[in-house]
Amino acid sequence: MRNKLLKSTLVVSLMTSLSRLLGLVRDVIIGAMFGPGAGVDAFIVAFRIPNFLRRIFAEGGFSQAFVPVLSEYRERRSRDEVSALLEHTVAVLGSWLCVTTVIGVLAAPLLIWLFAPGFSADLEKQALAARMLSITFPYILFISLTAMAGGILNTYRRFAVPAFTPVLLNLSLIGCALWLTPYFPAEQRVVALAWGVLIAGVAQLLFQFPFLLKLRLLPRPRFRRDREGVGRIIKLMIPTLFAVSVTQVNLMVDTIIASFLETGSISWLYFSDRLVEFPLGVFGIALATVVLPSLAAEHAGKDHAAFNKTLDWALRWALLVALPASAGLMLLGAPLLTALFQYNEFSAYDVHMAHRSLLMYALGLPAFILVKVLSAGFFSKQDTKTPVTVAVLAMLANIVLNLALVVPLAHAGLALATSLSACLNAALLYYALRRKKGFQTSPGWLLHLGRIGLALAVMALALVYFVPAPSTWLQWGLYERAVNVVSFTLAGALAYFATLWLCGLRLRNLRNL
């Protein structure tokens, strides 16, 4: 079973890697064409608001509530009952999304005032952000329906298609940045990116239709087909909205506070966060996505031993990948930012400021991934009360830490607060799983952590010794920088996994960690 989970995780990771690589290309283009400043700050806020809602309602609350219920229907109900659930769900979800979209477009100036109150000191930036938000807000409609389609495909073990879908967002933004920008006045060029977001939302939804048709699971919106099942989804979804999206709530709090800081602070946080999002998306979200349907099915089948083994397997894999990714970002942060972004409008000062927040975000990367996996353990059991309680505590801690750290550390303090609150979130979730749910780890954890610790030390020594200073990277052209980024990243990974191999960890062990 866990061998199949590993293969599915690798498939999702491969598709997500493609998306994240294109995401880096997208961010390099945005950084070079526009640079951190008022325009990019405004776009980030205009994109972050619907993206924030997407991660709460679509990938967060809705998916985490929808997949366990759909998994149960698939295991215990007839195909007609599954169709009834899907049809009623898409009708209810679509209706609410249409209303939300209309309100969001009309209230764009108010939303900018709420989520970026510091922009009121610059009326041009505030107006530009409001204009772009009125264009980007409908993205929540299309991407939420896309998330539902992805949840159906994931439940039926078709992981590759939903994982590939985000590629279309990056392609759309890249295309609009390169070819739509010239059609706007110089001071309004960044608006082309907002249109890229809207176009991507439509493309992502349409892309999944053929695959749903092939499974005969493309739902038609029809009310009163399965009110009981939809009621359960809503009941699970309401508390889950907050529990699974605490990181996104923290990011929005960061955005609100950062809007009062030096111009460019939102951009610096964004570019550093993008580097952390790469391993988080490639492996963390992929692992949680793959493991949730399996945990839900094992819980529905009352196979508690299999449930414990699957969750234990996921936690071991999470640390095996998250810890070297975190260390690598801290050690390679400055060269990576220099190599990827320091062109044209993106200055050495911008690299320095983004590096400060990257170090703080990288500290929390293992916790970000663990929260994804541990939350799946609760949601698969349809327990949303515990994650909500933990999320509330983590969010309150984040707010307190933000206020305490923003004065001495500026925008880097906001990143550190996010990481520390994620650590608290992960620790409390793990404690609750063991105490309230009876989760038991399998033997061998001390050996597993010891191998990881030794491999991390070897990797760190190799990177510190061989990687040149950022000033050297500036002497290289684009091609040389790209080759060296890949080379040093692979060298660090080779040192890490070679050490694990010398310590006795083999492929057969990786399948059954």
Side-chain angles (χ1 to χ4, degrees), residues 354-397:
H355 182 229
R356 291 180 57 198
S357 49
L358 175 59
L359 290 173
M360 302 299 103
Y361 277 138
L363 286 173
L365 177 58
F368 298 148
I369 293 179
L370 286 173
V371 167
K372 297 289 184 185
V373 175
L374 292 168
S375 295
F378 287 97
F379 298 138
S380 63
K381 291 175 175 284
Q382 300 185 26
D383 172 10
T384 55
K385 181 179 178 181
T386 303
V388 166
T389 303
V390 171
V392 169
L393 293 173
M395 183 179 175
L396 292 174

Side-chain angles (χ1 to χ4, degrees), residues 124-243:
E124 289 186 7
K125 182 162 68 171
Q126 187 180 49
L128 179 61
R131 179 188 174 188
M132 287 192 286
L133 180 58
S134 67
I135 299 170
T136 61
F137 201 91
Y139 179 72
I140 184 62
L141 167 64
F142 299 108
I143 202 61
S144 295
L145 293 175
T146 300
M148 178 180 173
I152 297 170
L153 293 169
N154 285 335
T155 301
Y156 283 79
R157 306 299 195 268
R158 304 300 194 274
F159 296 108
V161 175
F164 177 82
T165 302
V167 168
L168 301 177
L169 171 63
N170 295 321
L171 290 175
S172 179
L173 284 169
I174 291 170
C176 288
L178 294 176
W179 296 300
L180 191 59
T181 297
Y183 294 95
F184 290 87
E187 66 278 4
Q188 298 283 322
R189 291 185 311 149
V190 74
V191 176
L193 298 177
W195 285 106
V197 172
L198 180 58
I199 294 169
V202 178
Q204 287 174 299
L205 178 60
L206 295 178
F207 174 71
Q208 306 217 42
F209 280 6
F211 302 97
L212 292 175
L213 280 171
K214 186 177 181 180
L215 291 172
R216 293 184 296 160
L217 289 171
L218 181 63
R220 296 172 297 169
R222 296 174 66 184
F223 286 102
R224 301 185 182 279
R225 288 279 285 155
D226 187 342
R227 300 180 68 180
E228 183 268 338
V230 174
R232 286 174 56 198
I233 292 172
I234 294 173
K235 184 178 178 181
L236 290 170
M237 178 179 172
I238 291 173
T240 305
L241 293 177
F242 195 90

Side-chain angles (χ1 to χ4, degrees), residues 494-510:
L494 178 62
Y496 177 74
F497 285 106
T499 305
L500 289 175
W501 187 85
L502 290 173
C503 291
L505 192 63
R506 299 291 186 268
L507 181 60
R508 61 181 179 274
N509 305 125
L510 292 175

Side-chain angles (χ1 to χ4, degrees), residues 396-407:
L396 292 174
N398 179 67
I399 294 172
V400 172
L401 289 167
N402 270 333
L403 297 175
L405 297 172
V406 69
V407 175

Side-chain angles (χ1 to χ4, degrees), residues 5-23 159-167 170 278-287 289-290:
L5 286 177
L6 178 57
K7 289 180 179 178
S8 297
T9 302
L10 292 176
V11 168
V12 175
S13 294
L14 180 61
M15 296 295 103
T16 308
S17 296
L18 177 60
S19 174
R20 298 293 174 167
L21 285 171
L22 285 172
F159 296 108
V161 175
F164 177 82
T165 302
V167 168
N170 295 321
F278 188 85
L280 176 61
V282 166
F283 189 79
I285 295 175
L287 181 60
T289 299
V290 168

Side-chain angles (χ1 to χ4, degrees), residues 254 257-258 261 269 361 398 402 405-406 410-418:
D254 292 351
I257 297 176
L261 301 178
L269 286 168
Y361 277 138
N398 179 67
N402 270 333
L405 297 172
V406 69
H411 70 289
L414 303 180
L416 179 58
T418 299

